Structures are given as C-alpha cells and as structure tokens.
Amino acid sequence: MGALAHYIEREGISTTQVSLVKEHTLKINPPRALWAPFELGRPFGAPDEPDFQRRVLKAALKLLERDSGPVLEDFPEEAPGSASEEDTEGWACVVNFSEAVKEITVEEDPLGALKQEMDRLRSWYDLGVEKRNGRTTVGISEVDLDILSEYFVSLIDDVDSAPPRTDIPRFQMVKLAADDLKAYYFEAAAAQPGNATDKSLADWYYGETAIGKILALVNESCRLSGDEVLMKMSDRRLLPIHQKHHKLAVN
Amino acid sequence: MVHLHEMPDAARNRLVNQDLPHYDDVECVAGPPLSERKIAIVTTAGLHKRADKPFTHSLGEYRIIPEDGGMSEIVMSHASTNFDRSGYQQDLNICFPVDRLRELKADGKIGSIATNHFSFMGASPPETQEAAARDLAGILKADGVNGVILTPV
C-alpha cells in the first residue's frame, strides 16, 4: 500500500496512511504513515466503535499537514475489545437443533448436511442483516446460495464440475463460493448473543461445522487436482494460516 | 487472532520479509490545513460495489466507490484469507471509514469529501499498481482532492 502513496504523491497529492505491518512501512518508506497495533483486517481498531475509529482517522489525517517526510508515528492505544483468551472463552454458536429432525452428517451426505446447517442458521443470518439495516457482505459471487452450496460440495468429488458462472476463471469461482459461504456463516454466528470474537468465530467455522469439514475436503480436492492454479489455492486461499491444523491429514 | 505476533513463526516471517521495493526519494507535498482539505479514501482492501467485477490477483486495477452511493452494496473480493473479515462484516468503517470521514466534515475538521473513493486489492506486486495509481492521481486532482487517506486491511 505504501507504494501507492509514493505514486500518488509524486503526481502532486498529499497522502497519509494507516499501517498494520510496520516492517513493510519501514521498507517502503511512504511519505506519512500512522502505525496502529491492531489485528490484520482491522485498521480502524474495532467494529461499531465510532469514537475510537474517529481518533485513529484524525491521527492519520493530521499527518497530512506535515510537509517533509517520511513520517512514521505510532498510534498509542490498543483497540477496544482486544480480548484476552480468557475473555473469549464460553462463546459458542448455538445452531437450532431439533431432536425430531435427524442429524445429517458430512460423511453420509455432504450437501444434505450443509443445507441442514445453513437452514438452522438462517434466522440468525436474517437477524444480523436486519440489525445492520439491510447490509450483508454475502453475494460477492452473485450466485444464489443454494446453487453455490451445490457447486461447492460437488468439488469434493470433481473439481471439473460445471461452475455456476463461466465468465470468470474457475479458481475465482471456487474462491468466491468459499468467501460467500463463509460470510453467511460468520454473519449468522455474529448475530447471536455473546461476545463472539474473530478467533471464536473462526475456530467454530473451521473446526466445528459441516462447512468446515466440506472446506477441508474441497481443499484436498484442489491439492490433488493436478491443476496448478487450484493446487496453489489449496495451500493459500481456502484455509487461513491460523486454521491450517484443520487440513486433512496427508498420507 | 490475526495479530502479527500471534501468527505461526514461519507464516509471520514470510509476510514480514516479503520482497518489497524501497523508495529513497520521498516526495512530501505541502498543502493547506486539514480543515480546508478535500479528502478521498484509497483502500487496498479489495472492496467494490456488488455489481462490479471481482478483483483478480496482480492486475493492479482499481474500482470506484462513489461517495454518495449505497455503502450497503459494498463487498470484498480480496484474495487473502489471512486477515479478519468479521469486523468488516459487522461494520464497513473498520477498513473504509466513510462514516467517520463524514462526521469529521460535519465537525469542520476536514474541508470536504471527494466525489469518489477508490479501491485496489493488496496482495498484488506494488509495481503492477503504478500505472493505475498515476492515472488515479489525475482523476483525484480534477476533483480538487488534496489529501488521500490510504487504508489497508
């Protein structure tokens, strides 16, 4: 990102930035930067914390008034809700189980298991969307979630199965499908009561759900596909580094 | 969870030590006080309108996010899985602080807001973004922008 600052500044416009990886900022040496000690993905600290976000933004913008650089300042505060491990214990996503309905397992019917799980989360997902006045981050693939689920599960046995969109490369279709499903689950789980953190959400999603198991199976299919792009994706684009322990054991 | 210091050593070292260009020659353009500036957000979070084409790795292109557009239609097609997205799902301002910028304008802390904001996808080699960034600077100048806040993800 710091390189963009150089390119824009050289055309005559002042730039400032928030930096999350100080080592990168020191290497790239942009004109003005505010280093913030927050998690990757959270450059303004924490969601729904407008006062805190405003302090970060003001601190970064204030650097615009410096007319010699490079300037690299540290933001002095930790993000609100930077919870310790102890604080996050106890959160669990409550899926709407019913004893009257047979539990479908991924082993016997992956698509059935996925649909059952997604149905059970539906009311939570809807509640989350309502709370955010209609905003959802699902829909990046522009494919209906039912069709997307069928496609994603089909990849377990056949990475060449017909994609729902043919106007984008296959690897991108696989990635967007994975991202859309993840967005649906995360939004649903985050709508539940309790202090769900990104760690507890990720641990639940990758470690305790049917979609987590399916993702590990798709990851493995991609790894064994013989397709160079899908093979690369399997190690880098489907499972985050911090959830790699959910990869299938490889013989 | 995705604090750098919490990542496995190998992954953190790979991220921190990736090959990046160094720029010795640092331009630093002077300008008016913040309260008189017109500000645009340029993010590398891979954000765009839902109907826009998703980002493709390494093309160095950008997407336009109109200031007066519906921010509930903004989605993310970033290639990386290694940063938290739950914050963004809850509140777009965590990586694209458009509401905060509007508040600063209302309070008179900044002068005005650009007609459009812009989004790249990080995780692309910086040099692939140079042509688009220089082109973008011309567009920003034509809009009277004299301050850019760059935001990562």
Side-chain angles (χ1 to χ4, degrees):
Chain A
M1 186 181 68
L4 284 176
H6 283 294
Y7 303 145
I8 294 170
E9 194 99 20
R10 285 173 184 176
E11 298 297 319
I13 300 176
S14 314
T15 63
T16 184
Q17 68 179 70
V18 176
S19 156
L20 293 173
V21 184
K22 192 182 244 181
E23 291 85 346
H24 288 182
T25 307
L26 288 167
K27 271 189 202 169
I28 294 185
N29 213 23
R32 305 168 198 81
L34 178 75
W35 175 72
F38 312 145
E39 293 180 67
L40 302 183
R42 299 183 162 207
F44 289 86
D48 298 327
E49 293 283 350
D51 292 344
F52 186 85
Q53 293 171 353
R54 205 161 35 243
R55 286 204 293 282
V56 180
L57 180 59
K58 278 168 75 176
L61 287 173
K62 196 71 192 158
L63 300 181
L64 284 172
E65 295 183 335
R66 307 274 282 271
D67 56 10
S68 66
V71 176
L72 175 56
E73 292 201 348
D74 291 355
F75 188 73
E77 299 177 59
E78 291 285 341
S82 303
S84 65
E85 291 293 319
E86 302 84 69
D87 294 334
T88 66
E89 280 180 10
W91 180 85
C93 180
V94 181
V95 180
N96 187 18
F97 289 114
S98 162
E99 288 184 9
V101 179
K102 181 183 176 296
E103 186 68 17
I104 306 171
T105 66
V106 170
E107 290 72 20
E108 63 187 3
D109 176 6
L111 183 58
L114 180 60
K115 289 198 164 181
Q116 185 177 61
E117 191 169 69
M118 290 179 73
D119 282 348
R120 287 169 169 171
L121 289 167
R122 185 80 214 186
S123 53
W124 290 110
Y125 169 78
D126 289 342
L127 180 68
V129 174
E130 191 184 322
K131 276 186 187 167
R132 292 185 303 276
N133 298 317
R135 177 176 176 252
T136 179
T137 62
V138 175
I140 186 73
S141 68
E142 295 193 276
V143 176
D144 177 83
L145 273 177
D146 283 338
I147 296 170
L148 215 53
S149 305
E150 286 168 25
Y151 173 64
F152 203 65
V153 168
S154 74
L155 296 170
I156 296 172
D157 293 323
D158 181 11
V159 293
D160 293 322
S161 65
R165 279 180 67 175
T166 53
D167 59 326
I168 54 175
R170 176 173 62 174
F171 79 90
Q172 199 168 21
M173 185 67 248
V174 175
K175 178 71 167 69
L176 294 181
D179 284 355
D180 257 344
L181 290 166
K182 182 178 170 182
Y184 174 84
Y185 274 74
F186 270 55
E187 286 188 22
Q192 296 197 349
N195 295 319
T197 63
D198 58 321
K199 179 181 187 311
S200 53
L201 287 167
D203 287 348
W204 165 75
Y205 181 75
Y206 292 100
E208 297 176 29
T209 60
I211 184 63
K213 285 183 186 170
I214 290 166
L215 195 57
L217 291 166
V218 171
N219 189 59
E220 187 66 357
S221 306
C222 291
R223 192 184 70 81
L224 299 172
S225 64
D227 179 296
E228 199 179 329
V229 180
L230 290 184
M231 288 165 73
K232 265 190 192 169
M233 260 187 76
S234 73
D235 280 340
R236 300 175 55 194
R237 303 295 183 214
L238 292 176
L239 289 175
I241 289 166
H242 54 85
Q243 296 289 336
K244 282 283 192 285
H245 50 287
H246 293 305
K247 270 175 79 168
L248 295 186
V250 176
N251 293 323
Chain B
M1 186 59 197
V2 269
H3 266 118
L4 267 183
H5 62 80
E6 291 169 319
M7 289 174 90
D9 286 349
R12 185 181 59 246
N13 290 338
R14 202 164 50 240
L15 173 68
V16 165
N17 298 321
Q18 65 179 267
D19 202 17
L20 291 169
H22 181 81
Y23 300 87
D24 286 320
D25 183 18
V26 182
E27 288 276 339
C28 224
V29 179
L34 192 52
S35 59
E36 295 171 22
R37 294 210 188 216
K38 188 170 195 177
I39 306 292
I41 303 171
V42 176
T43 183
T44 53
L47 299 172
H48 51 83
K49 296 188 298 263
R50 197 181 303 272
D52 285 344
K53 194 175 165 199
F55 279 102
T56 303
H57 195 44
S58 299
L59 291 186
E61 58 197 350
Y62 62 78
R63 305 278 184 270
I64 303 165
I65 301 179
E67 164 60 21
D68 60 0
M71 293 300 165
S72 65
E73 281 303 298
I74 301 300
V75 291
M76 180 186 282
S77 63
H78 201 291
S80 175
T81 53
N82 294 321
F83 59 84
D84 169 59
R85 294 188 189 211
S86 67
Y88 139 80
Q89 287 160 351
Q90 201 174 323
D91 177 7
L92 180 65
N93 289 284
I94 195 121
C95 57
F96 190 76
V98 65
D99 292 326
R100 302 297 83 82
L101 204 57
R102 290 169 184 169
E103 290 159 7
L104 293 184
K105 178 180 173 258
D107 291 347
K109 303 287 186 198
I110 62 168
S112 57
I113 301 177
T115 308
N116 295 304
H117 306 289
F118 297 88
S119 174
F120 290 79
M121 183 182 76
S124 305
E127 54 274 17
T128 64
Q129 299 172 331
E130 179 165 2
R134 289 183 181 276
D135 170 55
L136 175 58
I139 293 166
L140 290 167
K141 276 200 278 193
D143 188 30
V145 170
N146 53 3
V148 165
I149 169 90
L150 287 142
T151 68
V153 72

